[in-house]
């Protein structure tokens, strides 16, 4: 029986304080839950974040990884011009410099292995086991499906798969959650927290 770390509440509070100060789109409920599953996933392996934007969720994951010595969070994002998932929230400029500044301001840059690439490109040589797969990248059906298809087989038993924006107006995350996660015996219990 796996037990939660004795200081879990403090770890979540610390992660949320860092997340709250970072730019991006993650509610307190979502941020705290993401920190919880990062700390309590009962499996060994890497935490992989697909879609980092300016680093809000990256900071939360890295805060927990840093505190508990879980190794670096692998974050992959092309940091290209705003996509369909961040319309109206930027210019044609890259989010790369903002992402790096966010990690530096939060003091977690040493706990992140950043890849400025598309997730499908990172997947070509991926061989690491995954304990937490956080999918918040391409929100089209094709993109979200590709992410779960490419990285899902690397999620270890008792690992966790989490999607952002499942209860949003984007087609991809909700369809992939319903078709792949809920429609399969390959996954265990499922639930929702925020979007």
């Amino acid at each position: 029986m796996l037990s939660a770390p004795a200081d879990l509440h403090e770890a979540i509070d610390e992660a949320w304080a860092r997340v709250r100060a970072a730019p991006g789109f993650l509610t307190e409920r979502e941020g705290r839950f993401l920190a919880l599953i990062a700390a309590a996933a009962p499996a060994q392996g890497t935490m992989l974040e697909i879609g980092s934007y300016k680093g809000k969720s990256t900071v939360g994951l890295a805060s927990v990884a840093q505190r508990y010595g879980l190794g670096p969070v692998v974050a992959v994002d092309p940091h290209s011009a705003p996509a369909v998932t961040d319309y109206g929230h930027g210019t044609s400029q890259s989010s790369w410099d903002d992402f790096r500044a966010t990690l530096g301001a939060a003091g977690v840059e040493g706990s992140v292995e950043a890849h400025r690439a598309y997730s499908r490109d990172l997947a070509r040589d991926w061989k690491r086991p995954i304990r937490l797969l956080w999918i918040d990248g391409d929100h089209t059906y094709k993109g979200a499906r590709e992410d779960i298809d490419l990285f899902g087989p690397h999620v270890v038993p008792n690992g966790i798969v989490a999607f952002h924006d499942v209860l949003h107006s984007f087609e991809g995350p909700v369809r992939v959650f319903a078709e792949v996660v809920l429609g399969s015996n390959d996954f265990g219990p499922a639930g929702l927290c925020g979007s």
Side-chain angles (χ1 to χ4, degrees), residues 37-128:
I37 62 175
Q44 297 297 311
T46 299
M47 287 190 274
L48 174 62
E49 173 188 63
I50 300 174
S52 303
Y53 187 47
K54 294 186 179 183
K56 195 169 190 80
S57 59
T58 319
V59 163
L61 294 171
S63 178
V64 170
Q66 186 172 280
R67 184 179 190 113
Y68 295 119
L70 300 174
V73 172
V74 178
V76 60
D77 191 306
H79 294 282
S80 54
V84 67
T85 57
D86 59 7
Y87 51 87
H89 299 293
T91 65
S92 61
Q93 302 298 314
S94 167
S95 58
W96 177 247
D97 291 339
D98 291 332
F99 172 73
R100 290 180 36 215
T102 298
L103 298 183
V108 296
E109 63 271 28
S111 296
V112 177
E113 177 187 315
H115 294 266
R116 190 174 182 182
Y118 289 99
S119 56
R120 65 182 162 271
D121 296 331
L122 182 66
R124 286 186 192 131
D125 298 316
W126 188 269
K127 292 181 178 42
R128 294 188 250 183

Side-chain angles (χ1 to χ4, degrees), residues 2-16 18 32 34-41 43-45 47 59-73 108 111 131-132:
L2 183 70
S3 61
D7 64 344
L8 181 60
H9 291 292
E10 292 85 11
I12 292 171
D13 287 345
E14 177 184 38
W16 174 246
R18 289 173 166 170
R32 287 179 176 276
L34 191 58
L36 168 68
I37 62 175
Q44 297 297 311
M47 287 190 274
V59 163
L61 294 171
S63 178
V64 170
Q66 186 172 280
R67 184 179 190 113
Y68 295 119
L70 300 174
V73 172
V108 296
S111 296
R131 69 187 291 271
L132 172 58

